[in-house]
Amino acid sequence: MESKKEAKAMRSDTARMLNVVQILSEVAILAGYALGMIPFVYLWSYTWVVPLVFVSLVLAIVASNGTTGKTIVNIAMAFLSFIPLVGYLFRVIGILVSILNIVALSKDRTRY
């Protein structure tokens, strides 16, 4: 039987791994938004941006790392980015939200 200390260490490792996976998904989302700044490229990059914002949301909820609200905003930005011309503004906002999430998750990694 595991001691409470070992069980807690396992949860810490799991949370750390979830944060790393979420950081990687945020980097890919950021890359998709950045590529989307090139005219018509968002029509290609959304194929991974939209699924990854939902993956990031699930990871934020499971890990309870405080990025859930910003991730929900990023989901809205992913869909609003389809609007012609105005979509560039939403992509910039999405880039900023992804950067904020990456910074928050990077700070959170040092706690474990």
Side-chain angles (χ1 to χ4, degrees):
M1 179 155 216
E2 287 184 10
S3 70
K4 289 183 181 181
K5 195 173 198 176
E6 289 174 351
K8 185 172 181 166
M10 182 62 96
R11 285 190 297 257
S12 176
D13 291 343
T14 303
R16 185 178 314 133
M17 182 56 101
L18 289 173
N19 282 349
V20 168
V21 173
Q22 189 177 359
I23 287 172
L24 293 174
S25 69
E26 288 292 340
V27 168
I29 292 166
L30 176 70
Y33 282 136
L35 285 171
M37 299 305 278
I38 302 169
F40 301 109
V41 175
Y42 192 70
L43 295 175
W44 168 68
S45 68
Y46 85 91
T47 58
W48 78 77
V49 170
V50 172
L52 280 178
V53 291
F54 286 104
V55 168
S56 186
L57 176 64
V58 170
L59 291 170
I61 291 170
V62 170
S64 299
N65 54 23
T67 60
T68 306
K70 290 180 281 197
T71 305
I72 291 170
V73 170
N74 224 357
I75 289 173
M77 294 304 108
F79 286 105
L80 291 172
S81 292
F82 286 109
I83 300 171
L85 297 177
V86 182
Y88 288 103
L89 171 66
F90 295 120
R91 288 177 213 138
V92 169
I93 294 170
I95 288 170
L96 294 174
V97 170
S98 287
I99 290 171
L100 290 173
N101 276 345
I102 291 168
V103 169
L105 291 166
S106 295
K107 287 181 182 176
D108 200 35
R109 284 182 62 199
T110 61
R111 291 189 330 183
Y112 298 110

